[in-house]
Amino acid sequence: MSADLPRLILATRNPHKTAEIRAMIGRRYEVLDATSFPDWPVIEETGDTFLENATLKANGISSRIGGWVLADDSGLEVDALGGAPGVISSHYGGVEGDHPRNNDRLLREMQGVADRRARFRCTMVLAKDGVAHAHFCGTVEGRILEEARGSQGFGYDPLFAPEGGSQSFAELGDAVKHSLSHRSRALAQVVAWLEARADARG
Ligand code: ITT
């Protein structure tokens, strides 16, 4: 069945991003990531912004692999921390991809802090043949909880409660997260853009 679907290659090594994006659009696209391409190069994320890093990943991978490549650069911005962890969200605790350490540091930094406003931000870049064609941004506002709650999702999900309630993304689960997350909001724009192009070509 997947052979009939258009292919979308994700420039990510984060299996949680792939799982979320597949759950959201896997019936319309064959969604592949680094696991399908063993000799995929390591792309250094040297940018100062989500857009710069997403562009580096999308251009770097699409210069090696044909078809549309989608990169997701995302993270958590906490107002009381001046926007940190921001672009260093994946290694805020000192070790790349170590989510428990990242969460421990965030809880330490937020100890006794009254203003707990925060947002997840996701910037997606679509590229082909090493050239970025479009970028899209999604955000979800919320607050940082006093302690980790729930076991679903990944990363900072146990510490982040989206606006309008007190439950964390990790408590609310995939269906609720996907209905309002930064990633789903950016991805909806990506799909609309790809489909408008496909329609325009007839
Ligand atoms: P790739 O660069 O390979 O895509 P990465 O995880 O390193 O994977 P980023 O540099 O974009 O990706 O960092 C994203 C980090 O932001 C991620 O590791 C989490 O710490 C955090 N994050 C992003 N989206 C999140 C979400 O939906 N829930 C919880 N944490 C999230």
Side-chain angles (χ1 to χ4, degrees):
M1 173 183 166
S2 58
D4 297 333
L5 297 176
R7 185 180 265 203
L8 186 61
I9 298 162
L10 305 182
T12 186
R13 294 181 190 277
N14 180 332
H16 302 284
K17 290 183 182 177
T18 304
E20 289 195 359
I21 292 170
R22 233 179 231 144
M24 293 187 273
I25 61 164
R27 294 164 70 95
R28 291 146 83 182
Y29 289 85
E30 184 188 10
V31 177
L32 303 176
D33 67 8
T35 54
S36 302
F37 304 94
D39 54 355
W40 200 317
V42 172
I43 309 287
E44 298 296 339
E45 296 184 38
T46 53
D48 294 326
T49 64
F50 294 119
L51 178 57
E52 284 171 13
N53 284 334
T55 304
L56 285 169
K57 290 186 275 193
N59 288 355
I61 297 302
S62 70
S63 65
R64 306 282 196 96
I65 290 165
W68 284 112
V69 171
L70 180 68
D72 162 327
D73 205 68
S74 47
L76 182 68
E77 296 174 344
V78 180
D79 290 351
L81 303 179
V87 290
I88 64 157
S89 290
S90 66
H91 54 98
Y92 190 49
V95 178
E96 178 62 38
D98 189 330
H99 303 303
R101 270 182 193 243
N102 294 339
N103 286 350
D104 284 349
R105 176 164 180 201
L106 181 60
L107 278 178
R108 268 199 318 276
E109 302 280 352
M110 291 299 284
Q111 218 161 16
V113 175
D115 177 3
R116 307 193 72 88
R117 287 172 299 171
R119 73 203 50 76
F120 275 121
R121 188 179 294 282
C122 175
T123 298
M124 290 185 166
V125 170
L126 264 175
K128 206 179 224 180
D129 302 327
V131 178
H133 285 248
H135 67 269
F136 311 89
C137 187
T139 59
V140 55
E141 299 288 331
R143 52 187 290 278
I144 303 302
L145 297 172
E146 306 279 349
E147 59 185 11
R149 285 170 33 185
S151 56
Q152 301 179 74
F154 75 100
Y156 299 96
D157 283 346
L159 292 180
F160 181 85
E163 198 164 61
S166 57
Q167 285 188 296
S168 73
F169 263 160
E171 290 178 293
L172 291 166
D174 291 349
V176 174
K177 182 178 179 188
H178 297 170
S179 71
L180 46 77
S181 81
H182 52 314
R183 183 159 296 107
S184 68
R185 287 172 174 165
L187 190 64
Q189 298 169 61
V190 169
V191 168
W193 191 92
L194 285 172
E195 292 184 355
R197 265 182 88 97
D199 287 348
R201 286 193 180 153

